[in-house]
Amino acid sequence: MRVANSPCAPSTQSPAPKCNLGRRDRYWFAPRRRLLCVTVAELPTAVLAPLLDLADVAPALAAARAAVDEALRHPALRRSGGPVAAEVSLRSAVASAALEGHRYELEDVRAGTVTDPVLQGALRVARELDGMAQLWPKVPRQVLARIHVLVGRDIVADGELGRPVGPAVLPRLADLLTLVSADNEVPGLLLAAIVHGELLTLRPFAGPSGIVARAATRLTLVATGVDPRGLLAPEVGHLAREPEYQGAANAYATGTPDGVRAWIKHVATAVELAAGEIGVIA
């Protein structure tokens, strides 16, 4: 899905300070822009709400949310929410690495015998998820950069950590992060699906960009209140339906209504599967 650029001219309260950053970095780390003729709060509804009219999307999202709400009422979570969250974090990291082509047995990872840097990056970002969740809607650029630093360590050159691959991805990435930081009146699951799909399509960072996309999706689910305790591992659901995951992601990248619809429905299914996993773990 292409998040449309506003026709309004951007402005800032004061000129950006002069520094030695390159053009790409000045754009990436610049102060947040203010749009002159549309408030940021209006953007999410205008851009995302029409997606709820696509066939079967609203019912799929509602069913997934109902499954999540039911799972989060599991009696065991009252006494063991912490251990469950830790196990979910582990499983989400293992599944995300597997989706990136780095597959390992859960018990081997639990035993600490796997040193693959891709898996280790997924584990690092999963461990820091809770601390980043509150910051995600407030400073999404910095949080996304932090995710890439955690994921890309020992894989990506130090100078590329936390920095997008080039100027071509920046306008669309900036539009996406505007949606993340705005006051949203659309379902959190819908926003999470768009965050995931956009980052998979853009691949804005060097290295295992899929892990970055899936981590940002989990952050969105936590930050929007869908999964406030971080107990969902949608990566497990994606892995369980991996061919569908890959196909739906490719369909989303076409930008067609049918492609976007297929992707959102897949994400809803993956979240439902993740909700079922909570009962297994608890």
Side-chain angles (χ1 to χ4, degrees), residues 16-278:
K18 293 183 179 181
C19 61
N20 294 323
L21 294 176
R23 177 183 175 188
R24 178 185 62 178
D25 289 344
R26 285 200 301 272
Y27 190 108
W28 179 237
F29 294 109
R32 185 174 168 185
R33 294 176 298 171
R34 178 174 60 85
L35 301 177
L36 293 179
C37 62
V38 62
T39 64
V40 170
E42 292 172 336
L43 289 174
T45 298
V47 173
L48 300 183
L51 301 181
L52 295 171
D53 294 329
L54 295 174
D56 302 323
V57 162
L61 292 175
R65 182 59 191 263
V68 171
D69 291 345
E70 178 66 24
L72 295 181
R73 289 193 290 267
H74 195 292
L77 296 179
R78 298 171 189 166
R79 61 179 182 275
S80 59
V84 170
E87 180 65 17
V88 166
S89 177
L90 175 66
R91 295 187 183 203
S92 73
V94 171
S96 192
L99 288 166
E100 208 71 9
H102 296 251
R103 300 172 185 270
Y104 299 96
E105 293 296 325
L106 180 64
E107 294 309 315
D108 291 340
V109 177
R110 195 192 310 279
T113 60
V114 181
T115 59
D116 182 338
V118 172
L119 174 68
Q120 292 300 316
L123 289 169
R124 280 192 295 269
V125 75
R127 285 194 293 265
E128 289 203 20
L129 184 76
D130 185 59
M132 293 188 288
Q134 289 188 341
L135 295 174
W136 176 232
K138 300 175 183 177
V139 286
R141 280 179 295 182
Q142 290 87 333
V143 173
L144 197 61
R146 175 61 179 164
I147 291 172
H148 185 244
V149 169
L150 293 169
V151 170
R153 189 188 307 166
D154 301 323
I155 302 171
V156 177
D158 288 351
E160 295 298 315
L161 289 173
R163 288 178 166 81
V165 292
V169 304
L170 293 178
R172 185 165 171 176
L173 183 59
D175 287 342
L176 175 65
L177 297 182
T178 295
L179 297 181
V180 170
S181 61
D183 293 330
N184 288 287
E185 296 180 1
V186 296
L189 276 171
L190 177 59
L191 179 60
I194 297 307
V195 167
H196 194 163
E198 286 292 299
L199 291 176
L200 280 183
T201 299
L202 276 177
R203 302 191 72 81
F205 297 100
S209 286
I211 294 178
V212 174
R214 290 182 286 275
T217 304
R218 284 194 72 203
L219 279 178
T220 304
L221 292 173
V222 173
T224 57
V226 175
D227 176 29
R229 298 169 66 185
L231 298 175
L232 285 175
E235 300 91 338
V236 173
H238 296 310
L239 186 61
R241 303 175 71 111
E242 187 174 7
E244 180 182 292
Y245 175 68
Q246 300 294 346
N250 290 337
Y252 180 91
T254 67
T256 63
D258 283 345
V260 174
R261 169 180 170 271
W263 170 251
I264 296 172
K265 288 183 64 181
H266 165 78
V267 170
T269 299
V271 168
E272 279 198 66
L273 292 173
E277 188 81 356
I278 293 176

